[in-house]
């Protein structure tokens, strides 16, 4: 069965204190790994898609990386506005339909 | 360009009543997905629809739940005879392309509370 596990569940950082969020996955044939950001009371907002091990993508203070077993979301010099829940999701191989399988998320709080 | 619109934002129902959740995809998008987020749980896929077709309903409960995306008008997620366990946030997402999931655009969700 496909599984997505995110750690830590919650993370508190001081402004400027860099860190990484982890997403471990087991899936039968990875079609894509996705990172989304979710603010309270809102729907998830797309950040990145990664397709193969070794791939990296960057956007402002965020950088996502992918290996065969896990993905990291690196946050460099975070600001309070980066506070949100970060969701990881995987889409399995061609016989697995169209569902994204989401982890439970990492709740990030960045304090001034 | 308006984003994905869901209504109502909040819906309160008593046990046994029906709940209808509406979703208008982004302009130009013809693919709609419904996800459910239970307290302390991750988002769970329910159903994927195109206009007038259900493509993948592997995440839909077998009873009481149905979804449609008519040729005209919004997509509707219908829950009959609601129970307390149906209380959750229901999110709709849309995409322009066939099943790629490359970039799903989510609405702000409907919070269903069953009394």
């Amino acid at each position: 069965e496909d599984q997505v596990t995110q750690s830590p569940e919650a993370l508190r950082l001081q402004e400027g204190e860099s860190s990484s969020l982890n997403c471990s996955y087991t899936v039968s044939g990875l079609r894509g790994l996705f990172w989304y950001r979710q603010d309270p009371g809102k729907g998830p907002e797309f950040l990145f898609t990664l397709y193969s091990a070794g791939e990296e993508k960057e956007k402002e203070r965020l950088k996502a990386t992918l290996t065969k077993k896990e993905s990291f979301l690196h946050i460099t010099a975070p600001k309070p506005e980066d506070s949100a829940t970060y969701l990881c999701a995987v889409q399995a191989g061609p016989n697995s339909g169209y569902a994204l399988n989401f982890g439970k998320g990492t709740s990030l709080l960045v304090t001034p | 360009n308006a984003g994905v619109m869901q209504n109502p934002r909040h819906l309160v129902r008593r046990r046994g009543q029906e709940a209808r959740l509406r979703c208008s995809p982004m302009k130009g998008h013809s693919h709609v997905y419904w996800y459910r987020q239970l307290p302390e749980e991750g988002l769970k896929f329910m159903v994927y629809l195109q206009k007038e077709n259900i493509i993948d309903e592997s995440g839909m409960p077998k009873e009481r739940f149905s979804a449609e995306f008519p040729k005209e008008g919004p997509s509707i997620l219908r829950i009959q005879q609601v129970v307390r366990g149906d209380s959750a946030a229901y999110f709709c997402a849309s995409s322009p392309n066939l099943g790629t999931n490359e970039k799903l655009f989510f609405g702000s969700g409907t919070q269903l509370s069953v009394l």
Side-chain angles (χ1 to χ4, degrees):
Chain A
E1 184 180 321
D2 301 339
Q3 280 195 320
V4 180
T5 304
Q6 292 189 246
S7 62
E9 289 185 16
L11 181 63
R12 183 182 180 120
L13 298 173
Q14 289 272 348
E15 185 172 2
E17 180 187 0
S18 301
S19 188
S20 296
L21 313 182
N22 177 263
C23 172
S24 297
Y25 65 92
T26 54
V27 65
S28 53
L30 180 71
R31 266 195 289 177
L33 184 140
F34 303 81
W35 283 98
Y36 282 82
R37 167 190 171 132
Q38 187 174 23
D39 293 294
K42 299 283 185 65
E45 177 185 350
F46 173 82
L47 293 173
F48 303 109
T49 309
L50 302 167
Y51 294 103
S52 57
E55 190 174 358
E56 298 182 352
K57 288 193 177 172
E58 285 188 70
K59 179 181 178 182
E60 297 179 355
R61 294 178 293 282
L62 300 177
K63 178 180 177 180
T65 62
L66 181 66
T67 72
K68 288 186 178 179
K69 293 183 179 180
E70 58 191 348
S71 176
F72 290 94
L73 185 65
H74 306 279
I75 304 177
T76 303
K79 298 182 178 181
E81 53 261 42
D82 294 323
S83 298
T85 296
Y86 290 85
L87 303 173
C88 171
V90 298
Q91 187 177 27
N95 298 320
S96 300
Y98 297 92
L100 288 184
N101 188 355
F102 280 87
K104 293 184 180 182
T106 293
S107 177
L108 174 65
L109 176 63
V110 182
T111 58
Chain B
N1 186 13
V4 177
M5 304 300 293
Q6 291 189 249
N7 65 82
R9 285 299 311 274
H10 302 275
L11 182 61
V12 180
R13 285 288 178 264
R14 296 191 181 278
R15 281 178 296 170
Q17 291 184 319
E18 179 179 287
R20 281 184 178 238
L21 287 61
R22 294 175 184 77
C23 169
S24 295
M26 286 185 70
K27 186 176 181 180
H29 289 192
S30 58
H31 305 265
V32 166
Y33 308 77
W34 285 94
Y35 283 79
R36 176 165 65 173
Q37 191 169 39
L38 292 164
E40 308 304 322
E41 295 290 329
L43 282 159
K44 301 295 184 186
F45 169 79
M46 300 182 75
V47 63
Y48 163 44
L49 312 102
Q50 295 176 35
K51 288 281 187 182
E52 300 184 281
N53 284 304
I54 296 174
I55 306 302
D56 181 355
E57 57 181 349
S58 58
M60 285 282 270
K62 299 300 181 198
E63 298 179 348
R64 302 188 297 108
F65 285 72
S66 62
E68 63 176 7
F69 189 15
K71 187 176 180 181
E72 302 290 338
S75 175
I76 305 288
L77 180 67
R78 182 184 178 200
I79 311 172
Q80 295 178 290
Q81 299 176 320
V82 296
V83 300
R84 289 217 172 109
D86 297 332
S87 296
Y90 291 82
F91 290 95
C92 168
S94 71
S95 73
N97 298 316
L98 173 62
T100 64
N101 276 320
E102 171 70 26
K103 192 173 183 177
L104 289 183
F105 294 83
F106 282 85
S108 293
T110 293
Q111 181 65 51
L112 173 64
S113 298
V114 180
L115 304 179

